[in-house]
Structures are given as structure tokens and as C-alpha cells.
Amino acid sequence: MDHPALLERIAAEVAPLVGTGTPAGYIPALAGVDPRSFGMAVATLDGTVHGVGDWRVPFSTQSITKVFTLALVLAHGGDSVWERVGREPSGNPFNSLVQLEYENGIPRNPFINAGALVVTDRLQTWTGDASSELLEFLRRESGNPDLAFDPDVAGSESDHGDRNAALAHFMASYGNISNPVPTLLDHYFWQCSITASCADLALAARFLARHGLLADGSRLLTRSEAKQVNAVMLTCGTYDAAGEFAYRVGLPGKSGVGGGIVAVVPGHGTLCVWSPGLDERGNSVAGVAALDRFTTLTGLSVF
Ligand code: GLN
């Protein structure tokens, strides 16, 4: 497949949407990003990566990191994490509190904020330094040693982190958080603040297309676990828009409020798209459209 020509075509087709939507305003450090940015990268299983537009420009990964922390926790502890977090779509916004009380402090899935806090809590217990473990993993798998935390974004999230603090304290009251809540929140905010480009993220996510195998050929996840992570991405990775995303794109995908989305074509490769303008559910408007065009034009989807 001629990826460069395909990506140019997609970029031209979605250009009218770039700049529409709204960059995340509730994290002030994200509000300053150029809304006209657009980048897209495709990585094949062997690590060849092609891109278009701003595909090498680092952006705030935000909730995309939730996929990687889940994979690391499964790799460390196997299935035990599923005693503390579910795997059903929430049908609610990613930062909603409402289901947690009805469901006794067990979040619906690992990709809403409450679920990700539980997963990061597990990683913190196992490693003693969850956010550094994640950063090292992303550096290794992307081959980019310059990936870094963004202290301004982490600080901004912390300064405006009342909702996440409420989620964490509420779950702690049910005994579903093991570490001190302030420590957990720090690691969660640092994790969300990691900056990486479309190229970096497409490369780092390849283990999900390679049925659990890392870049060096060693195994992070069993084939079955890789299938499970992809399945949860498909059903929960774009929050209360996961049904619409599956309908339009037909791939496992994980979005973040920085405007990035990572998508996986199991057995073929990975995609990452970035454009900061978000729809009302927190997913990149031009990003979803670009992935929709990719699967429509290539016929590559899980369906
Ligand atoms: N850091 C963001 C938050 O906690 C992540 C949300 C997202 O990307 N959907 O609200």
C-alpha cells in the first residue's frame, strides 16, 4: 500500500475540519496549543513509519497513556486488575462520578479517568514509580529517548485537578485505591503530561498490532491479553462516543484530550492522528474523520 500518497489524500480531505471543535480548556496549559495543527502517522509491524502534516510534532498524550499503563499492569499482574475495574462501556463522560457510587467504587472500565486511576494505583504498587515506568516504556518502544513529561501540563492538571481528586478519594473510601491519594494523583498527572508525536505513539503501540510482541521481539502480553486490550479499546477507548467511533472507524482506538488518537489494525499496524479541536465528548474532530477516511479507503478494519 502506498501510505504516503494515502496520507496526503486523507490530510487534504479532512483539511476543512482542522481548526473546528475546541481544544481542551479545563486544563489551562492545553488551551494554548495551535488549533490548526494536524498530523497523522502509520506504522507497519516492522517499524516503518510514514506520516503527513505535523506527524513529528510532540503533543500532550493525555488519556492515550491509559492504554499503555493498562498493558504494563496486565504484564505485571495478569488478570487480578479486573477485580478492581470493569470492562463495560460507561456511556458517561470520561470524568464522570455518577456511576461510581451505584457500583461500589468499581469503575466501569480502565479508560475513563476513574478506571485509569485504579490502573495507575496498581502500577504504582508494583513498580514504586508508575509514571517513570510508563515513560521508560514509551521511550523504548518508540525508539525516542527524548520523550518527556511536561511539567507545565502536569502542574496545570494538578492545580485544576479537583475532579480527579474527588474520583480518587471516593474510590479510596471503598478500599479500591492502595496508595496515598496525593501520590497516586501525582503519578496520574505526570503520566497524562507525557508529550509524544504521532510517529512516537504509532511506534510505541505496535505491540497491540503484533499480538503482544514488543519491538525487540520479546513478549509483553500474551496473545489473548493483547486481544483483550484491543477489545476494551474498541468498546471503551473513546468514552461515551465509543459506539459512534466503532461505527465510523471500525478499529480499536484510544483518544486523549490533547487531540491525539491511537488506533490499531491487529496483524497489520498502528495509526496515530493528532488535531487539537475536540468534539463535545473529548475526541478530536479531524482525528476521528481522518481515521474514518483511512479505514474507508483501505478497507482495513476489524470488521
Ligand atoms: N488528564 C486528563 C484528565 O484527567 C485526561 C482526560 C482525557 O484525555 N480524556 O482529565
Side-chain angles (χ1 to χ4, degrees):
M1 187 180 304
D2 184 359
H3 281 140
L6 177 66
L7 292 174
E8 293 292 344
R9 175 174 173 184
I10 292 170
E13 288 186 11
V14 304
L17 292 173
V18 174
T20 67
T22 320
Y26 75 101
I27 302 170
L30 293 184
V33 71
D34 180 358
R36 304 230 30 104
S37 309
F38 174 84
M40 186 171 188
V42 181
T44 53
L45 297 185
D46 66 1
T48 307
V49 55
H50 291 112
V52 69
D54 301 316
W55 66 297
R56 290 197 180 281
V57 177
F59 62 89
S60 193
T61 56
Q62 294 294 318
S63 282
I64 293 174
T65 54
K66 293 174 173 137
V67 174
F68 298 98
T69 46
L70 176 64
L72 290 172
V73 162
L74 288 170
H76 274 279
D79 268 1
S80 61
V81 69
W82 298 122
E83 290 159 20
R84 298 179 47 184
V85 61
R87 36 183 195 250
E88 291 292 349
S90 69
N92 279 303
F94 62 81
N95 55 3
S96 171
L97 272 156
V98 73
Q99 271 165 348
L100 270 181
E101 185 165 18
Y102 295 126
E103 300 183 359
N104 302 316
I106 306 289
R108 272 287 173 103
N109 69 67
F111 295 151
I112 52 175
N113 287 7
L117 285 161
V118 167
V119 174
T120 299
D121 182 58
R122 286 276 81 194
L123 191 60
Q124 178 65 14
T125 298
W126 279 317
T127 66
D129 190 350
S131 51
S132 299
E133 179 88 5
L134 172 67
L135 180 62
E136 283 313 315
F137 178 82
L138 292 174
R139 284 178 173 164
R140 224 168 30 245
E141 291 305 300
S142 65
N144 183 354
D146 296 331
L147 295 191
F149 301 118
D150 181 331
D152 290 341
V153 171
S156 186
E157 285 215 58
S158 180
D159 291 345
H160 298 84
D162 293 326
R163 177 71 69 114
N164 285 317
L167 290 166
H169 281 293
F170 195 66
M171 290 188 292
S173 78
Y174 285 93
N176 201 15
I177 296 293
S178 305
N179 292 280
V181 166
T183 307
L184 168 60
L185 288 171
D186 276 350
H187 282 277
Y188 174 81
F189 293 139
W190 283 107
Q191 159 188 327
C192 291
S193 85
I194 292 173
T195 55
S197 69
C198 291
D200 297 324
L201 290 170
L203 285 169
R206 268 183 312 144
F207 68 94
L208 290 170
R210 287 159 52 93
H211 306 298
L213 291 183
L214 294 171
D216 67 0
S218 64
R219 186 167 283 289
L220 178 71
L221 299 178
T222 65
R223 197 179 172 98
S224 165
E225 287 167 338
K227 176 199 73 178
Q228 292 161 356
V229 174
N230 279 318
V232 181
M233 284 173 78
L234 180 76
T235 52
C236 309
T238 45
Y239 326 111
D240 43 341
E244 181 70 8
F245 186 84
Y247 173 84
R248 289 183 63 187
V249 177
L251 292 175
K254 183 74 208 80
S255 60
V257 293
I261 308 175
V262 163
V264 182
V265 192
H268 285 270
T270 48
L271 299 153
C272 183
V273 63
W274 170 56
S275 194
L278 307 179
D279 61 24
E280 63 287 353
R281 282 150 176 194
N283 300 309
S284 168
V285 175
V288 175
L291 293 170
D292 177 346
R293 292 309 294 149
F294 181 90
T295 53
T296 304
L297 290 167
T298 61
L300 279 176
S301 91
V302 295
F303 299 107

